[in-house]
């Protein structure tokens, strides 16, 4: 029996595993790094042990021994699919919550895995060289190290970049290619296996809505599959699991292109999206992982799938700026307690979101009697949900759930790329403009009330009634300059015709939108404001109406696109560079971005230093105009040799 369990992970997955442990009466041990000392998962465990890194096997095993744990659960990510870690845990006399190390090893090598499952009769994608191709890391996963190649001209540079990133992320630079099917669906099958030879097929999930090859919406069961396709998926998943005598929870992933099915990979761990399977089966997959590790036997058959469940991943990132990671202290976090809604979160109000780990901060899951009911419930939950203090993809998630293609079940892995512009455009609609107006007038009253003299003057408006005051805000990549004035003690705004201000106090604004009364909660934060209204929550960043010329950066400045760590500098001061030449590589939250020269020129000054932490907007380098007498440059010859970046900023997940 397991009596005390160490979770070798952090964030929402650690908290989720602790929840099952508490229900089963198992004591819990957390591990944490210096940047996670105040994280929620640390305080929720019975005891906690500080380590230097979540990737340090020896320290994690030593932490388990020091805390008196008799078992280790790896969660997902980090060391969860590391066969050496599994062997080290078992070698220390501890119980490993996961499959056998040999199964991890075989399925962890994507090239070897395809050979093994192909021998078992599972269809796989061939490695031919017809374009488009997808380059993948053999030891990778989760979208890290992938490159899509559409022509032979860019194949070599893409291979070099993928190899470098795979080496950095996984310690193995081996890559391989397979045909790229941009309009296929990503469907996976949940499996459970015990030590007695029984394999359960626990339904399927669709994970097609992705950004940068990483999932953001998952649902169970996968909608719209024909009975023959679903049966074939389950049959092939069983064959893959049986090929390695699988034990524990695992997932077999496939591409589905019409009636064609191709094996992608097998993840030998619990998946991020496991809650949707739990919702439609009533199973606790973590409890079954623990039972199987204790030698328990699965019943003859799993429970049937009933209803429908959908999960969205809430990321601290800015979709309007190429999904760049965002940092900051969360001021408010609340998604309610509605029945049939589950929130697995790694954060709470007061949590500091830093640059060191994955950008996912929470998952929100809904369950309904059918898919339409699940969509409606989840959409309403996201509308009512509040996250303030850090930019997230919440608005994008709301737009996805309202999209006609998604609602109809017409999903594939290219859906986000096709619809992203429209989804981001939802950030400039009438609802956001009303929230911006509420922010402006609410902030004005709060500012007036804060002054000892102004506090005695109602609303404290300027005494030139014919001229509006203006407050400027930025939200979702758009800037709103909100004008308003006080006319006879009543606030009015020509900025939003048809909408009037009915009431304003310290934290509430009531608007009238063509006869419909709406209430907004407004919290002033510096020059900006947090607003929550009938259409959702918004963080408005204050923008100066008049810009100080001294604040302008020099022409040719290369600015940090996100807060992060400088991990590579490809040039030195005085180097001549061509447009598109890589200059600096930033890393934050498991994502790397390569900043490239915006045009031909000379590196006039260089502030980027490897190991330096920078903030978004910091000047990293200045590219001065080229010497007119110099010979023309090309990206391949300018500066030190480095993989060419395909755009001004190229993004990939790292590890």
């Amino acid at each position: 029996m397991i009596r005390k369990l160490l979770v070798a992970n952090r964030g929402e997955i650690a908290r989720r595993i602790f929840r099952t442990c508490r229900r089963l009466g198992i004591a819990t041990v957390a591990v944490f790094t210096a940047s996670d000392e105040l994280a929620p998962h640390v305080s929720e465990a019975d005891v906690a042990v500080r380590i230097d890194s979540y990737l340090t096997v020896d320290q994690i095993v030593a932490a388990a021994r020091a805390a008196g744990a008799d078992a280790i659960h790896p969660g997902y990510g980090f060391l969860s699919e590391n066969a050496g870690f599994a062997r080290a845990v078992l070698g220390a006399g501890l119980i490993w919550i996961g499959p056998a190390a040999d199964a991890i090893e075989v399925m962890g090598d994507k090239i070897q895995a395809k050979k093994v499952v192909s021998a078992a009769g599972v269809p796989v994608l061939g490695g031919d060289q017809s374009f488009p191709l997808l380059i993948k890391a053999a030891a990778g996963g989760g979208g890290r190290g992938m490159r899509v190649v559409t022509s032979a001209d860019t194949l070599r540079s893409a291979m070099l970049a993928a190899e470098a990133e795979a080496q950095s992320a996984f310690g193995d630079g081996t890559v391989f290619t397979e045909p790229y099917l941009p309009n296929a669906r990503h469907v996976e099958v949940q499996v459970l296996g015990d030590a007695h030879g029984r394999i359960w097929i626990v339904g399927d999930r669709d994970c097609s809505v992705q950004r940068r090859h990483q999932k953001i919406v998952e649902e169970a069961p996968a909608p719209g599959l024909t009975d023959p396709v679903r049966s074939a998926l389950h049959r092939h998943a069983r064959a893959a699991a049986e090929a390695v005598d699988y034990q524990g929870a695992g997932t077999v992933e496939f591409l589905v292109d019409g009636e064609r099915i191709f094996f992608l990979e097998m993840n030998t761990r619990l998946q991020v999206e496991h809650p949707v399977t739990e919702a439609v089966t009533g199973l606790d997959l973590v409890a079954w992982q623990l039972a199987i590790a204790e030698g328990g036997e699965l019943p003859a058959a799993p429970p049937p799938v009933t209803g429908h469940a959908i999960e969205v991943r809430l990321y601290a990132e800015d979709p309007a700026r190429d999904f760049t990671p965002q940092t900051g202290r969360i001021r408010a976090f609340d998604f309610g307690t509605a029945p049939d809604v589950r929130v697995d979160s790694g954060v709470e109000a007061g949590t500091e979101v830093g640059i060191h780990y994955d950008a996912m901060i929470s998952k929100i899951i809904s369950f309904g009697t059918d898919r339409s009911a699940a969509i409606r419930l989840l959409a309403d939950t996201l509308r009512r949900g509040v996250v303030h203090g850090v930019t997230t993809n919440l608005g994008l998630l709301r737009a996805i759930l309202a999209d006609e293609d998604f609602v109809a079940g017409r999903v594939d892995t290219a859906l986000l790329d096709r619809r992203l512009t429209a989804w981001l455009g939802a950030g400039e609609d009438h609802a956001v403009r009303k929230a911006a107006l509420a922010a402006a007038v609410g902030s004005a009253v709060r500012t007036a009330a804060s002054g000892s003299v102004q506090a005695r003057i109602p609303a404290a408006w300027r005494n030139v009634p014919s001229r509006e005051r203006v407050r400027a805000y930025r939200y979702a990549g758009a800037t709103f300059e909100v004008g308003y004035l006080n006319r006879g003690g009543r606030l009015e705004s020509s900025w939003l015709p048809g909408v009037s201000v009915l009431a304003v106090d310290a934290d509430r604004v009531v608007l009238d939108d063509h006869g419909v009364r709406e209430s907004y909660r407004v919290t002033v934060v510096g020059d900006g404001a947090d607003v929550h209204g009938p259409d959702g929550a918004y963080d408005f960043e204050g923008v100066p109406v008049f810009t100080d010329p001294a604040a302008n950066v020099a022409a040719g400045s290369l600015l940090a696109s996100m807060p992060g760590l400088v991990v590579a500098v490809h040039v030195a001061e005085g180097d001549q560079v061509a447009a598109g030449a890589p200059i600096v590589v930033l890393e934050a939250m498991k994502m790397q971005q390569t900043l490239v020269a915006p045009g031909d020129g000379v590196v006039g000054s260089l502030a980027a230093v490897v190991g330096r932490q920078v903030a978004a907007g910091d000047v990293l380098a200045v590219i001065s105009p080229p010497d007119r007498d110099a010979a023309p440059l090309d990206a391949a010859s300018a500066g030190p040799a480095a993989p060419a970046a395909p755009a001004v900023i190229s993004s990939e997940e790292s590890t």
Side-chain angles (χ1 to χ4, degrees):
M1 287 183 62
I2 297 171
R3 292 178 174 82
K4 182 179 280 190
L5 177 75
L6 181 144
V7 177
N9 220 290
R10 65 182 299 277
E12 58 87 17
I13 185 56
R15 300 178 82 186
R16 186 265 170 274
I17 296 167
F18 292 160
R19 188 166 66 243
T20 290
C21 288
R22 286 193 295 272
R23 183 173 66 81
L24 297 177
I26 298 174
T28 56
V29 182
V31 289
F32 65 95
T33 61
S35 60
D36 263 349
E37 190 166 4
L38 301 178
H41 80 276
V42 178
S43 59
E44 287 191 3
D46 293 311
V47 297
V49 181
R50 179 168 171 168
I51 56 176
D52 293 330
S53 167
Y54 294 104
L55 297 173
T56 307
V57 171
D58 292 346
Q59 288 190 16
I60 292 173
V61 172
R65 285 174 165 165
D70 48 21
I72 291 180
H73 193 303
Y76 46 70
F78 295 128
L79 297 171
S80 61
E81 294 180 277
N82 185 305
F85 182 42
R87 293 190 176 102
V89 170
L90 294 170
L94 304 172
I95 299 171
W96 165 251
I97 313 300
D102 289 347
I104 297 174
E105 202 160 55
V106 170
M107 290 301 182
D109 183 329
K110 302 300 186 289
I111 299 173
Q112 181 66 15
K114 290 174 71 169
K115 292 178 181 178
V116 169
V117 302
S118 179
V122 180
V124 300
L125 282 168
D128 61 73
Q129 294 298 303
S130 60
F131 295 95
L133 288 174
L134 184 63
I135 303 174
K136 300 173 71 175
R144 274 88 75 182
M146 287 188 180
R147 296 291 191 281
V148 176
V149 183
T150 57
S151 69
D153 294 341
T154 58
L155 179 60
R156 182 176 181 276
S157 62
M159 290 283 282
L160 290 173
E163 288 170 354
E165 189 163 71
Q167 182 64 43
S168 172
F170 310 111
D172 184 344
T174 305
V175 298
F176 65 98
T177 63
E178 62 186 23
Y180 179 52
L181 305 177
N183 299 119
R185 293 177 60 182
H186 187 144
V187 181
E188 60 191 29
V189 179
Q190 177 71 58
V191 301
L192 275 175
D194 63 21
H196 309 280
R198 177 164 287 156
I199 298 289
W200 270 6
I201 301 300
V202 196
D204 45 69
R205 302 183 286 253
D206 187 285
C207 308
S208 299
V209 182
Q210 305 177 2
R211 57 98 171 103
R212 291 199 302 266
H213 310 292
Q214 192 168 53
K215 308 160 190 172
I216 56 175
V217 181
E218 302 104 341
E219 55 184 307
L225 296 179
T226 64
D227 290 340
V229 168
R230 199 180 305 274
S231 296
L233 286 167
H234 293 189
R235 183 175 67 253
H236 293 322
R238 181 179 296 277
E242 290 177 344
V244 290
D245 297 322
Y246 198 79
Q247 298 176 30
T251 298
V252 188
E253 302 195 351
F254 300 92
L255 281 180
V256 177
D257 187 23
E259 298 294 305
R260 299 189 302 163
I261 297 171
F262 301 102
F263 171 84
L264 271 179
E265 62 184 9
M266 183 174 186
N267 290 316
T268 55
R269 53 169 169 81
L270 197 67
Q271 291 279 93
V272 175
E273 58 271 22
H274 76 275
V276 293
T277 295
E278 294 183 324
V280 297
T281 62
L283 294 170
D284 182 332
L285 293 177
V286 172
W288 273 111
Q289 285 185 296
L290 300 175
I292 290 167
E294 291 178 326
E297 185 173 357
L298 291 167
V305 171
T306 59
H308 200 92
I310 304 178
E311 170 184 293
V312 292
R313 302 189 189 189
L314 186 67
Y315 285 98
E317 65 184 15
D318 189 348
R321 296 176 56 208
D322 194 31
F323 299 95
T324 53
Q326 303 294 299
T327 60
R329 183 176 298 277
I330 294 179
R331 296 188 292 269
F333 185 89
D334 183 10
F335 283 88
T337 57
D340 294 324
V341 172
R342 168 175 164 179
V343 179
D344 285 8
S345 177
V347 301
E348 55 193 21
T351 298
E352 186 75 29
V353 178
I355 68 169
H356 301 287
Y357 302 111
D358 190 88
M360 189 180 75
I361 58 176
S362 184
K363 305 178 306 193
I364 302 97
I365 307 100
S366 68
F367 171 78
T369 54
D370 56 28
R371 187 170 185 266
S372 295
I375 291 174
R376 182 171 59 191
L377 178 58
L378 185 55
D380 187 64
T381 299
L382 298 185
R383 179 180 66 86
R384 297 178 186 275
V386 175
V387 184
H388 290 309
V390 62
T391 300
T392 71
N393 64 335
L394 181 57
L396 174 65
L397 297 175
R398 292 199 300 251
I400 292 172
L401 293 181
D403 183 81
E404 60 182 15
D405 284 336
F406 179 82
V407 171
R410 296 188 294 265
V411 293
D412 57 61
T413 56
L415 178 62
L416 184 140
D417 291 334
R418 292 196 305 271
R419 302 289 294 149
L420 182 60
T421 299
W423 290 343
L424 293 180
E428 301 177 24
D429 62 13
H430 187 62
V432 182
R433 293 174 69 85
K434 288 188 291 184
L437 175 59
V441 297
S443 298
V445 167
R446 178 69 175 270
T447 300
S450 65
S452 59
V453 175
Q454 289 180 333
R456 300 192 298 270
I457 305 173
W461 307 115
R462 62 189 298 147
N463 58 6
V464 184
S466 62
R467 186 172 183 179
E468 289 190 323
R469 298 196 66 178
V470 175
R471 285 180 183 263
Y473 296 109
R474 184 178 294 112
Y475 172 78
T479 299
F480 304 93
E481 294 189 358
V482 187
Y484 56 87
L485 56 79
N486 179 18
R487 192 184 302 276
R490 180 184 177 90
L491 299 181
E492 296 180 356
S493 174
S494 62
W495 180 75
L496 198 55
V499 178
S500 59
V501 181
L502 298 182
V504 187
D505 58 30
D507 60 1
R508 189 177 71 102
V509 174
V510 180
L511 301 180
D512 182 289
D513 183 1
H514 296 84
V516 178
R517 184 170 295 192
E518 299 174 343
S519 181
Y520 294 80
R521 188 172 68 247
V522 178
T523 303
V524 176
V525 183
D527 293 330
D530 295 341
V531 179
H532 187 220
D535 295 295
Y538 309 90
D539 282 18
F540 290 105
E541 177 188 355
V543 180
V545 177
F546 302 103
T547 303
D548 181 356
N552 294 332
V553 298
S557 294
L558 198 64
L559 307 182
S561 54
M562 62 182 183
L565 192 70
V566 177
V567 295
V569 178
H570 292 301
V571 297
E573 290 187 3
D575 284 352
Q576 295 189 39
V577 294
I583 306 298
V584 177
V585 180
L586 295 180
E587 182 172 285
M589 295 181 182
K590 300 187 175 184
M591 188 182 80
Q592 287 190 349
Q593 288 197 334
T594 301
L595 277 64
V596 303
D600 295 351
V602 177
V603 181
S605 63
L606 186 64
V609 177
V610 172
R612 175 190 168 195
Q613 187 169 317
V614 299
D618 283 358
V619 177
L620 303 181
V622 177
I623 311 299
S624 302
D627 184 346
R628 293 183 179 180
D629 297 329
L633 295 173
D634 58 66
S637 62
V648 173
I649 299 176
S650 65
S651 305
E652 284 296 336
E653 303 296 323
S654 58
T655 181

